[in-house]
Amino acid sequence: MDEEKQIEEINTRLLRYIDEYGWKWSLVKKLINDYFGTDYSMKQLQTIYARLKAKERAEARH
C-alpha cells in the first residue's frame, strides 16, 4: 500500500471508529498501529482526527 493510500485509509478508519462506533482512543490507537505497522501516539491520532473534523466542518459551510 502506498503512503497516500495508507493515510487515506487511516483517516477513513479514524472517522469510522470514533464517530460511528464510539470506540475509545486506546483501542483505536492499537487497531491502527497493529494493522498498518505504524507507531502513532494517541495524541497524534487525536490531532489527525481534529484536522479531519475541521475540514469536514469547513466543507459543510460551502
Side-chain angles (χ1 to χ4, degrees):
M1 180 180 300
D2 68 13
E3 186 176 348
E4 187 175 319
K5 179 81 172 148
Q6 181 175 344
I7 291 169
E8 184 179 314
E9 183 64 25
I10 288 171
N11 291 346
T12 299
R13 287 177 188 233
L14 268 177
L15 292 171
R16 182 175 354 135
Y17 293 167
I18 299 298
D19 292 348
E20 292 180 35
Y21 302 164
W23 289 350
K24 294 182 181 198
W25 281 104
S26 57
L27 176 59
V28 171
K29 175 182 161 283
K30 179 172 178 21
L31 289 172
I32 286 176
N33 284 331
D34 287 353
Y35 185 85
F36 293 101
T38 54
D39 192 26
Y40 286 109
S41 69
M42 198 176 313
K43 180 82 171 163
Q44 287 172 311
L45 290 173
Q46 288 169 334
T47 299
I48 294 167
Y49 175 81
R51 289 181 184 150
L52 290 169
K53 296 305 284 186
K55 183 179 176 185
E56 279 186 351
R57 286 190 299 273
E59 289 173 355
R61 281 185 256 149
H62 293 327

